[in-house]
Amino acid sequence: MTRTQPPSRAVQIKVIGVGPGNPRQITLEAVEELGGLDAVVLLDKGESTESMRRLRTGLVDRYAPTAQVLVVADPPRDRRPADYPREVARWHAARVEAIAAAIADLPDGSRVGFLVWGDPSLYDSTLRVVDGLAGLPGWTVDLVVVPGVTSASALTAAHRITANRVGEPIHITTGRRLASTPDGAAGNQIVMLDGTEAFRAAARPGDEIYWGANLGTADEVLIAGPVEQVADDIGAARDELKRRVGWVMDIYLLRSSRSPDGVQGG
């Protein structure tokens, strides 16, 4: 029996970092790439509000006005799975399937863009999803990645600080992994994806936090100070943003009162 070969598909994919939310923080390179797109894929996560959608569609309207907009419902995922890596792999596979279906009817050689908050290299799954598309039978993907302003750099700029003290390293992690930061790496921790305020348990007496939410937007909130003094303020600010805006994208720098070599005060 002769097996039917899947139809071949060739697509140019542009994964474009668009910064943390301020439309003025998009790079000239990103503007040029957006202007040449035939289509833009927007993942709709469902829980995001109209204001978050407007941030993305505003960028498309301004910089890619002739591109076709393909809205793809983001597949559901278990936020508290027993096996986190397994659940993320399943979720990514479902994303690949949904995106492939959305772009399958575009003409061969179409230039398809994905807008990524911040920078595509930092805690974002888009490049893994594109790898999944490239691995589909019969698909050929020509990939271009455009870097963007990271939320980490937007945070330190907003607080007018450096990410590290003199000669010290910087550790970038997530709220889920904050408690497992190795010895010697806790001097300057940039923490992302922390929906549980893990800094409350991780901080030691005297540690400072530089926190920011919805950076670059009209709803930006900044709080800084010793953790024991401002933790409740951060919690209240998160609750207020959720109530008033509907979503919170936050990041913080947790700075130890001790330098990595254990000397008090750095």
Side-chain angles (χ1 to χ4, degrees):
M1 179 181 296
T2 302
R3 292 186 177 182
T4 302
Q5 294 296 320
S8 61
R9 301 287 301 129
V11 64
Q12 299 179 47
I13 291 183
K14 317 279 189 175
V15 178
I16 303 171
V18 295
N22 187 335
R24 296 176 299 172
Q25 291 179 341
I26 190 169
T27 66
L28 292 176
E29 183 183 9
V31 169
E32 291 175 358
E33 293 289 358
L34 283 166
L37 294 177
D38 299 306
V40 177
V41 174
L42 297 180
L43 281 171
D44 186 355
K45 298 189 176 184
E47 76 274 9
S48 62
T49 65
E50 184 60 28
S51 64
M52 180 176 282
R53 293 189 186 97
R54 284 199 303 268
L55 287 173
R56 296 186 301 170
T57 56
L59 290 173
V60 174
D61 291 344
R62 179 182 298 188
Y63 300 122
T66 63
Q68 179 182 358
V69 177
L70 304 173
V71 179
V72 178
D74 197 18
R77 59 175 291 196
D78 184 354
R79 296 287 177 175
R80 298 180 181 275
D83 188 334
Y84 182 76
R86 183 186 181 94
E87 171 60 13
V88 170
R90 184 210 60 78
W91 176 48
H92 286 176
R95 273 187 163 185
V96 171
E97 182 178 344
I99 292 169
I103 66 177
D105 293 332
L106 294 174
D108 262 6
S110 292
R111 296 159 296 183
V112 181
F114 291 79
L115 277 58
V116 174
W117 294 118
D119 182 86
S121 71
L122 194 57
Y123 287 107
D124 184 83
S125 63
T126 305
L127 290 176
R128 297 187 185 93
V129 171
V130 173
D131 285 343
L133 288 172
L136 293 176
W139 282 65
T140 300
V141 173
D142 179 17
L143 174 62
V144 173
V145 180
V146 179
V149 174
T150 68
S151 56
S153 58
L155 174 75
T156 53
H159 280 288
R160 301 181 295 279
I161 59 172
T162 58
N164 62 290
R165 293 170 292 200
V166 177
E168 292 184 353
I170 301 166
H171 182 63
I172 301 177
T173 188
T174 65
R176 182 186 296 271
R177 300 298 298 271
L178 183 58
S180 60
T181 296
D183 292 341
N188 306 282
Q189 296 189 86
I190 292 175
V191 185
M192 309 176 71
L193 305 176
D194 182 5
T196 61
E197 300 178 13
F199 58 83
R200 291 179 181 268
R204 295 175 294 188
D207 286 0
E208 294 187 322
I209 190 170
Y210 297 86
W211 178 86
N214 299 18
L215 294 166
T217 74
D219 301 302
E220 177 180 280
V221 181
L222 302 173
I223 297 174
V227 173
E228 63 266 27
Q229 295 180 19
V230 302
D232 289 343
D233 294 337
I234 291 172
R238 285 177 52 86
D239 291 343
E240 170 62 14
L241 279 173
K242 288 179 182 178
R243 183 194 64 79
R244 179 171 55 84
V245 183
W247 55 278
V248 179
M249 293 177 64
D250 59 344
I251 182 174
Y252 57 87
L253 168 66
L254 183 61
R255 175 162 287 162
S256 175
S257 59
R258 297 176 179 271
S259 64
D261 61 6
V263 178
Q264 183 76 27

